Amino acid sequence: MLIVGERINSSRGRIAEAIETRNAEAIQAEAAAQEKAGADYLDVNAGSFVGEEAEHLKWLVQIVQEAVSIPLCLDSPDPGVIRSVLPLVAQTPMINSVTLEPERLEGILPLAAERGAKLIALCQSEESMAETVADKVEMAVRLVEKAEQVGITPDDLYIDPLVYPLATNPQSAVATLDAVGRIMGEIEGVHTICGLTNVSYGIPHRKLINRTFLVAAMSRGLDSVILDPTDRDLYGALLAGNAVLGRDDFCMAYITAYREGRLGPL
Amino acid sequence: MGDTLAEIRQAVIERQRDRIEGLVREVLDEGMEPNVVINNGLIPAMDEIGKMFTEHKIFVPEMLVSAMTMKMGLEVVKPLLKGAQSEPKGTVFLGTVKGDLHDIGKNIVGMMLEGAGFRVVDLGVDLTVEKLMEQVETQSPDIIGLSALLTTTMPEMERVVQELEARGLRDRIKVMVGGAPVSPAFAEKIGADGYGGDAAQAVELARRLSGADR
């Protein structure tokens, strides 16, 4: 599983405050903790600062890079913001995200292609956010086509089939799971990714739902995920999932995590 | 009859979708006025649900199923309403602003407003100011409720307020706003009439703005 650490996001109050007050220490601690916990990429987001997003994201990129050795996942819907930040990025990044909306397709795709970046692509068009399995798969196919037109191979593309709250549609998670299975089965070489927190909106003990959904999605072929790797129970579920699904040779990663004291109750 | 009314309230609160229609028919057969069933049975039950939700005693799916139960009861009563009785508490336009496709919160607010007796016109997602104004001119709502889940689309809310002002409609039509990145301070800054932090607050606000709480 490819893990994108989600914690450095300005929609979290503490992070927004740290960004605003230029508290590099706080951000770097978040970055280091996620790297240590097993993140492969670190998401950086300054989207809550309307009009100042680029400036804040540039600062985030610079100070996070000082603290970790893993690459970044640049999180903005705005092609202009991505373009202005890219020159500062040391390692080939991931970009989060493109959709089928023309402005984002035309703005983001060439940037990703030019930089050879990995790219998260949401099953969302100008008209709608895909809810049914058929819509999710159809949009995934179109995203892959659009990306290939500018030279981005499926191997650099991470399709997010979108996750909706169970609270308002009890069949929504099944639609996402089915879509993951179909996309992984029908589109050669492409990856799938999703966030987990939406699924549990409005229902109790959200983290239990989140990690159950993660393992269910992994069983359909999900190979990448945006999550908080410092969440011990969640990361444990991920390792256990890998072991159960035959993706952990002789359970070595699981056993190693146990030895390091990273599994089970504290 | 009073007992059955209590049972109707209980059926809504306890989400008894299999019972509600029968109970409503029962009181109507006994001769209760349709508007009494609504105002003393169905609506007070949803008020209680709103309160329970705000107090974190129930979860979103429980609130939704109660709203569905209420609506099933309402559908039985509606055809029997006559003249002034059938007047809603006001018409609320709902929409997610231009550039934004998130509608889950908006839909919950819509169900709760209907549950409180408002006529709700859902104008969907990615709602442009132009399309909204077309509808405003033809249907003349009392309140416009706007939702945004993205910081990038929030400024659209201000455009709606400004357009209403430009058209001289601002005194007549109240504007309420909500959505994850929206705050009371933002609502005030753009000149909206109020902010709802959740569906129950949105109902309270709509009542205050429409004068339905008087």
Side-chain angles (χ1 to χ4, degrees), chain A residues 231-248:
Chain A
D231 178 336
R232 187 182 169 93
D233 292 332
L234 182 58
Y235 195 75
L238 185 146
L239 291 178
N242 274 338
V244 168
L245 295 167
R247 299 184 197 166
D248 180 6

Side-chain angles (χ1 to χ4, degrees), chain A residues 100-102 124-130 139 142, chain B residues 100-101 125-126:
Chain A
L100 286 166
E101 295 161 282
Q124 174 178 333
S125 71
E126 201 170 22
E127 295 81 33
S128 70
M129 296 163 76
M139 288 198 206
R142 274 162 63 200
Chain B
D100 205 323
L101 301 170
V125 299
D126 194 17

Side-chain angles (χ1 to χ4, degrees), chain A residues 47-48 50 77 124-129 164-165 167-168 201-204, chain B residues 53 59-61 64 99 101-105 108 125-126 151-152 154-155:
Chain A
S48 66
V50 180
Q124 174 178 333
S125 71
E126 201 170 22
E127 295 81 33
S128 70
M129 296 163 76
Y164 294 101
T168 50
Y201 165 80
I203 49 179
Chain B
F53 180 70
F59 295 95
V60 171
L64 286 183
L101 301 170
H102 296 86
D103 65 355
I104 287 165
I108 296 174
V125 299
D126 194 17
T151 50
T152 46
M154 282 162 58

Side-chain angles (χ1 to χ4, degrees), chain B residues 77-108:
Chain B
V77 186
K78 257 186 185 171
L80 305 172
L81 291 171
K82 300 179 279 285
Q85 283 183 0
S86 61
E87 293 286 315
K89 302 218 154 149
T91 295
V92 184
F93 276 10
L94 285 184
T96 302
V97 297
K98 184 183 149 215
D100 205 323
L101 301 170
H102 296 86
D103 65 355
I104 287 165
K106 168 183 70 66
N107 295 345
I108 296 174

Side-chain angles (χ1 to χ4, degrees), chain B residues 105-195:
Chain B
K106 168 183 70 66
N107 295 345
I108 296 174
V109 168
M111 288 184 81
M112 292 300 283
L113 284 171
E114 281 182 347
F118 287 92
R119 174 172 166 260
V120 174
V121 180
D122 189 341
L123 298 173
V125 299
D126 194 17
L127 177 63
T128 61
V129 176
E130 294 75 32
K131 191 180 159 208
L132 175 60
M133 290 307 143
E134 260 172 46
Q135 296 296 318
V136 165
E137 298 287 353
T138 55
Q139 301 199 52
S140 180
D142 302 288
I143 299 171
I144 296 173
L146 298 171
S147 172
L149 211 84
L150 304 172
T151 50
T152 46
T153 57
M154 282 162 58
E156 279 296 314
M157 295 174 158
E158 187 168 15
R159 268 175 225 140
V160 171
V161 175
Q162 288 167 349
E163 185 62 28
L164 288 172
E165 262 162 23
R167 289 173 184 241
L169 296 167
R170 191 65 188 89
D171 298 337
R172 244 186 332 110
I173 302 173
K174 304 289 185 187
V175 178
M176 54 187 226
V177 295
V182 181
S183 65
F186 176 80
E188 197 177 330
K189 192 184 121 211
I190 65 166
D193 296 292
Y195 160 83

Side-chain angles (χ1 to χ4, degrees), chain B residues 5 9 33-45 47 85 89 116-117:
Chain B
L5 215 43
R9 288 194 293 269
E33 286 294 322
N35 61 332
V36 175
V37 180
I38 294 175
N39 292 325
N40 297 355
L42 297 171
I43 289 178
D47 287 347
Q85 283 183 0
K89 302 218 154 149

